[in-house]
């Protein structure tokens, strides 16, 4: 089970925004992200992420498994919820079709349908926030948007960035 959303920005723009750890809080429930490995983000990069879920703080360690700019991004949760994810970026006429392709659940089989439903709902909301951040402009999504690279903030014309 997965979900797709169309975003009026190029696959490269969507990928760059989505994989920038400094911007994770603009589209997910992250309170803090710390890169644990040195160098540019790529395969093998690990992060410590602090999320707030249903009023509780949750810490997880994630590792980048696939880093193919503008095409595919895949992570594995090393410590934390046993859910891994893969996103595919497909060019379309008006931008990108982002598909959360294959959430993988490392739990007992009877729990997988429930986790699949919850994950689809949560990431559906996250992807709508990502779309808004890229199409409407991050300054309208996050108050401290001065930290957002100017080349990643969308103009008021979603087609202008394509």
């Amino acid at each position: 089970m997965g979900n797709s959303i169309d975003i009026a920005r190029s696959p490269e723009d969507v990928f760059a925004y989505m994989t920038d750890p400094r911007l994770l809080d603009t589209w997910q429930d992250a309170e803090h992200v710390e890169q644990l490995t040195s160098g540019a983000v790529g395969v093998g990069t690990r992060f410590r992420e602090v999320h707030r879920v249903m009023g509780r703080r949750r810490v997880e360690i994630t590792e980048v498994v696939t880093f193919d700019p503008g095409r595919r991004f895949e992570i594995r949760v090393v410590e934390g919820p046993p859910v891994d994810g893969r996103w595919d970026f497909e060019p379309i006429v008006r931008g990108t079709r982002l598909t959360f392709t294959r959430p993988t659940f490392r739990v007992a089989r009877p729990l997988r349908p429930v986790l699949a439903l919850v994950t689809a709902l949560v990431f559906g909301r996250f992807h709508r926030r990502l779309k808004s951040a890229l199409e409407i402009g991050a300054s309208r999504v996050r108050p401290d948007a001065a930290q957002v690279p100017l080349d990643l903030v969308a103009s008021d014309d979603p087609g202008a960035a394509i």
Side-chain angles (χ1 to χ4, degrees), residues 5-9 14 94-96 98 127 130-131 134-135:
I5 191 166
D6 293 349
I7 301 174
R9 295 293 296 266
V14 176
R94 297 255 325 138
T96 302
L98 176 67
H127 294 154
L130 178 67
K131 177 181 175 75
L134 281 159
E135 290 182 355

Side-chain angles (χ1 to χ4, degrees), residues 25-26 138-139 142-148:
D25 67 338
T26 67
S139 63
R142 186 175 85 185
D144 62 338
Q147 298 174 14
V148 176

